[in-house]
Amino acid sequence: MLALAALCIGALYLAYQIVCSLHQTFRNRRIAKSLGCEPPRKVPSDPFGLKGFFEISKAAKQNRVVEDIADYYSQYSPTFSLTGLGGVPIVSTAEPENLKALLATQFHDFCLGTRHREFYPLLGDGIFTLDGAGWSHARALLRPQFTRDQVADLDLMDGHVSRLIELIPKNGTVFDIQRLFFLLTIDSATHFLFGESVNAMHSSGDTGVLEKTAVGGAQGFAKAFSLSQEYLFTRNCFMGLYWLVNPKEFQDANKRVHEVVDHYVRLALAPKKNPEKSAGRYIFAEALAAETDDPRVLRDNMLNILLAGRDTTASLLSSAFFFLARHPHVWGRLRQTIVEEFGDSAHPRGKITQARLKDVSYLRYFLNEVLRLLPPVPLNFRVAVKDTSLPMGGGPDGKAPVFVRKGQLVTYSVYAMHRREDIYGPDAKSFRPERWEENASRGWEFLPFNGGPRICLGQQYALTEASYTLVRLLQHFDRIENAAPTMEEPRIQFNLTMSHLHGVDIRLYPAMP
């Protein structure tokens, strides 16, 4: 009797779930019709999304997730639907009008989903993890710091770039410049944020701020920070099951990072107790401490900015030299332009300033083209907080709106959008900075720094640091060689940001005096 009762209860529950599912389906169709929506093209799959899951898993093992997703857009359309693992419906888009809606005009229809819980162990409550009022408060706290002239502190950057130049072999030896750029940007970012650099580019005996912590030196801090980010990315991929990824290695790495940043929080709060000690160079942490004396708020927001300030700029610079090594005519024109404006290392012409950097058109075109083909954040997503729609992608011609139900995931690929031939022409996949001379004005089809209310606050900081570094390096070196000639196309490694899987191996030769 008990077995029969259990069977009946199970059958009733299954029937209830089927009825609820049918009811929800008919409800969604009714709302979609009222909004004038039509379904986008659908990627063939099974009801549980296993086919797509195994395809993406295979691509991840081959470090081809970004490229394979871009192939989906080419094969199907700029907006398509697919079945995620467990039968969850997903909309994916590389359509400028849809990104405009997602990030700006319908900003309040979407959120970050479970990102806050996924990233909380390292980043806490910060601008990259929060939605709603919490995000608004974090952005209001940080925004004034990025409107200051001190953000473009080229005197601060000068010492770090000089150290970078010292570390580059001058005799034609092959080296990986990407590794150096990641050291450069963690040094400059910590110097800007904390007032002192962790000195990752210096010898282990010159530990700077880390002599006061147990993190194990600058390399230890950089390693712990990178390890934490790798786990954040894995947690992000697991989405609702993020809590399954929480090993002791991840927890220990977070503790080491927090130890260093907490030390700087204490230093930043000290001038509030003794104002006479606060005079001197602009320090981001101290400026932020003037707005709040909550140590946790300071730590969380500084870590959020450190993550953005380090990896994205290193990614941009690495990609810049990947292309320069494979396009000698671009190197030649860019170096000639820089030397004409700023002179070379032996005969400099005036002080390099942010205003002068902005006036060098070809430098701007070059960086735009690098950001177009290899955006530091190539993939992203949002989750609908209500039943809503995207303006394009539905119907046979892709012109009708697309219905997005509450809780549905919408993924988007800036990488794929930047390579669309109907937007950038038949040579969209080719590296050609001159295209920006022909059309320097781009809207939502060019989004290397996101858009809308969440547009990157540090955009000018990143562009200024990258521009200054490029100018100094091209002043000092007059010839570059590609040391990986069989690798004509970049091999992308996508974590939270993009990097080059095998590094960027080159040779550089100093200009003769």
Side-chain angles (χ1 to χ4, degrees):
M1 289 295 292
L2 289 175
L4 181 61
L7 185 62
C8 289
I9 291 172
L12 287 171
Y13 178 75
L14 180 60
Y16 171 76
Q17 291 296 319
I18 292 172
V19 169
C20 287
S21 178
L22 289 172
H23 173 74
Q24 186 65 44
T25 299
F26 285 119
R27 177 183 173 276
N28 290 345
R29 287 178 180 175
R30 186 173 67 252
I31 297 173
K33 186 176 180 180
S34 70
L35 295 172
C37 297
E38 295 184 39
R41 289 193 64 180
K42 185 173 177 60
V43 176
S45 185
D46 56 275
F48 300 103
L50 294 175
K51 179 176 180 289
F53 173 76
F54 287 121
E55 286 178 353
I56 290 296
S57 297
K58 181 181 177 182
K61 289 179 181 178
Q62 298 173 346
N63 286 287
R64 283 197 52 84
V65 170
V66 175
E67 297 94 330
D68 280 16
I69 289 175
D71 289 342
Y72 274 95
Y73 292 107
S74 299
Q75 184 178 353
Y76 295 100
S77 66
T79 301
F80 59 83
S81 67
L82 68 158
T83 303
L85 188 63
V88 177
I90 297 172
V91 172
S92 192
T93 188
E95 181 63 61
E97 284 301 310
N98 286 346
L99 268 63
K100 179 180 178 181
L102 200 66
L103 303 176
T105 56
Q106 295 170 228
F107 177 77
H108 295 291
D109 290 357
F110 300 93
C111 71
L112 301 178
T114 58
R115 186 193 290 182
H116 178 248
R117 284 168 283 170
E118 295 160 9
F119 288 9
Y120 186 83
L122 176 67
L123 300 179
D125 298 322
I127 193 169
F128 296 123
T129 65
L130 293 172
D131 280 307
W135 167 78
S136 296
H137 176 73
R139 191 170 179 90
L141 189 67
L142 293 172
R143 187 178 183 85
Q145 312 312 324
F146 284 97
T147 59
R148 298 170 182 264
D149 292 338
Q150 293 94 331
V151 168
D153 189 345
L154 299 183
D155 290 334
L156 179 152
M157 293 180 191
D158 181 73
H160 299 298
V161 176
S162 294
R163 177 57 181 162
L164 172 74
I165 292 172
E166 290 175 9
L167 293 175
I168 292 175
K170 313 298 190 299
N171 59 357
T173 300
V174 176
F175 71 103
D176 176 13
I177 199 167
Q178 176 174 259
R179 185 185 70 83
L180 294 183
F181 282 143
F182 272 89
L183 298 179
L184 166 73
T185 54
I186 201 167
D187 278 357
S188 62
T190 52
H191 199 166
F192 167 66
L193 287 172
F194 304 148
E196 292 181 71
S197 169
V198 297
N199 290 330
M201 289 190 294
H202 291 69
S203 65
S204 58
D206 188 5
T207 56
V209 300
L210 298 182
E211 66 189 3
K212 310 175 185 72
T213 75
V215 78
Q219 297 292 338
F221 176 72
K223 182 179 179 180
F225 193 55
S226 295
L227 182 62
S228 290
Q229 290 180 63
E230 289 174 15
Y231 278 111
L232 291 190
F233 177 69
T234 304
R235 286 164 67 91
N236 184 242
C237 292
F238 273 60
M239 294 182 3
L241 298 176
Y242 67 90
W243 47 271
L244 291 173
V245 184
N246 191 33
K248 187 176 185 298
E249 185 181 47
F250 175 51
Q251 297 174 35
D252 289 345
N254 293 337
K255 287 178 183 177
R256 292 197 295 273
V257 172
H258 289 166
E259 179 188 2
V260 173
V261 180
D262 284 343
H263 169 73
Y264 284 107
V265 168
R266 291 191 291 272
L267 290 181
L269 289 170
K272 298 185 77 170
K273 299 177 182 178
N274 187 358
E276 293 180 1
K277 293 184 179 181
S278 63
R281 189 182 62 78
Y282 171 85
I283 298 171
F284 187 96
E286 289 184 3
L288 202 60
E291 303 299 324
T292 178
D293 57 5
D294 187 327
R296 185 58 187 265
V297 171
L298 290 170
R299 180 226 276 176
D300 290 351
N301 280 284
M302 283 195 286
L303 271 172
N304 276 248
I305 297 302
L306 178 59
L307 182 144
R310 177 214 182 186
D311 288 16
T312 54
T313 308
S315 173
L316 170 57
L317 284 166
S318 301
S319 296
F321 274 81
F322 177 89
F323 288 119
L324 285 172
R326 288 157 178 79
H327 298 273
H329 67 285
V330 175
W331 169 277
R333 180 176 174 184
L334 183 60
R335 186 172 194 276
Q336 181 182 357
T337 301
I338 286 171
V339 170
E340 287 175 355
E341 176 64 30
F342 300 105
D344 59 20
S345 57
H347 307 93
R349 294 179 184 170
K351 185 178 176 63
I352 303 172
T353 65
Q354 185 181 27
R356 290 184 70 194
L357 289 171
K358 283 185 174 181
D359 285 341
V360 183
S361 299
Y362 192 69
L363 176 60
R364 188 169 67 253
Y365 300 153
F366 169 75
L367 287 173
N368 279 354
E369 187 70 348
V370 175
L371 289 165
R372 183 184 73 83
L373 283 175
L374 294 176
V377 184
L379 305 172
N380 215 323
F381 71 91
R382 293 291 186 268
V383 176
V385 298
K386 57 184 281 191
D387 290 334
T388 185
S389 64
L390 295 175
M392 293 185 67
D397 60 359
K399 302 297 184 184
V402 173
F403 177 65
V404 182
R405 65 169 176 80
K406 181 179 178 179
Q408 188 167 2
L409 180 69
V410 179
T411 66
Y412 61 94
S413 173
V414 173
Y415 174 92
M417 182 176 70
H418 285 179
R419 291 164 175 257
R420 283 178 54 177
E421 293 184 2
D422 59 328
I423 295 175
Y424 287 97
D427 65 345
K429 294 181 177 63
S430 300
F431 182 77
R432 191 171 66 85
E434 289 73 18
R435 78 177 70 248
W436 296 92
E437 289 178 311
E438 301 155 7
N439 184 1
S441 177
R442 293 285 181 178
W444 285 89
E445 64 267 28
F446 182 60
L447 286 183
F449 295 101
N450 214 337
R454 283 188 178 270
I455 193 169
C456 177
L457 284 174
Q459 177 176 346
Q460 289 308 314
Y461 174 88
L463 289 173
T464 299
E465 181 173 15
S467 298
Y468 182 78
T469 303
L470 278 166
V471 167
R472 289 289 312 281
L473 286 172
L474 270 73
Q475 281 183 313
H476 198 91
F477 299 95
D478 68 354
R479 188 158 62 91
I480 188 173
E481 286 181 2
N482 174 17
T486 60
M487 191 184 300
E488 285 305 308
E489 294 299 321
R491 287 296 309 279
I492 296 173
Q493 178 173 287
F494 179 50
N495 203 325
L496 293 181
T497 54
M498 192 217 75
S499 62
H500 293 260
L501 179 62
H502 302 297
V504 179
D505 290 341
I506 60 171
R507 300 181 185 89
L508 284 174
Y509 298 90
M512 299 299 292

